[in-house]
Amino acid sequence: MPHLFRTHDGNEWKPGKPMALTLEDGTKVEGVWAGSAQVEKLPWWLSEPGSNLCQTDEVAAVAVRGEHTGETRWGNAPPGARLFFVLKPPQRGKNGHAYRLAKLVTTASTEAQTKYFDDERFSLFGTFNSDGTIASIPSLPPPSEPGDVRRPGELF
């Protein structure tokens, strides 16, 4: 499962931090990344009253910490791709402030992704269709070497 992602402005996002998300109707919301939701079980995740499907801004890259190696490896996102999250119903924290947990939607890794990232789950890339469904975007092949993913603007 991805553990980090980077947007085109160079910001890195990780679990536990609030992030801006957009509902299928364009409404801006905030969620705290907390785990994942398998795309195969998406109807179940969305069946809880108050749960919503939402997407990030465009992403540049995602990182996965290997299940066995513990090594974090980055892979580029396809052009125009966004990540999807299931936004859970609002909760109240100990301080009384409301927040919403967001579960990253994942898909089964390809054989090449499993080999490179050392994980059997990967990000589901896509955008919203006009009817609020997901228009999946195929992921790019993983880099051939662990150091092959550069930050935006890096030449070498």
Side-chain angles (χ1 to χ4, degrees):
M1 159 183 119
H3 296 89
L4 298 164
F5 70 90
R6 186 171 42 242
T7 49
H8 288 288
D9 59 10
N11 286 327
E12 285 185 10
W13 301 92
K14 63 182 178 179
K17 301 294 180 188
M19 63 183 158
L21 297 166
T22 305
L23 298 174
E24 68 270 2
D25 67 3
T27 302
K28 300 291 184 184
V29 293
E30 184 178 85
V32 177
W33 183 0
S36 63
Q38 295 179 353
V39 70
E40 299 88 348
K41 299 176 184 175
L42 198 53
W44 179 83
W45 281 102
L46 294 172
S47 68
E48 181 179 6
S51 291
N52 303 98
L53 186 61
C54 54
Q55 67 182 6
T56 63
D57 289 336
E58 285 188 31
V59 295
V62 295
V64 177
R65 187 173 44 252
E67 289 182 356
H68 302 98
T69 65
E71 183 178 348
T72 299
R73 292 189 173 176
W74 286 90
N76 288 325
R82 299 166 186 268
L83 299 177
F84 289 93
F85 284 83
V86 173
L87 194 61
K88 303 295 287 172
Q91 301 180 40
R92 291 256 173 230
K94 292 178 184 177
N95 61 4
H97 290 97
Y99 67 94
R100 295 180 77 178
L101 296 179
K103 305 285 187 180
L104 175 67
V105 178
T106 65
T107 188
S109 297
T110 65
E111 186 176 331
Q113 288 168 335
T114 300
K115 182 177 177 184
Y116 177 79
F117 292 108
D118 184 33
D119 200 302
E120 295 189 5
R121 302 298 300 175
F122 196 66
S123 301
L124 174 69
F125 293 117
T127 60
F128 275 125
N129 287 314
S130 60
D131 64 358
T133 58
I134 297 173
S136 296
I137 297 175
S139 59
L140 298 175
S144 57
E145 296 295 327
D148 282 355
V149 178
R150 295 176 175 78
R151 290 182 175 275
E154 285 184 338
L155 296 177
F156 306 101

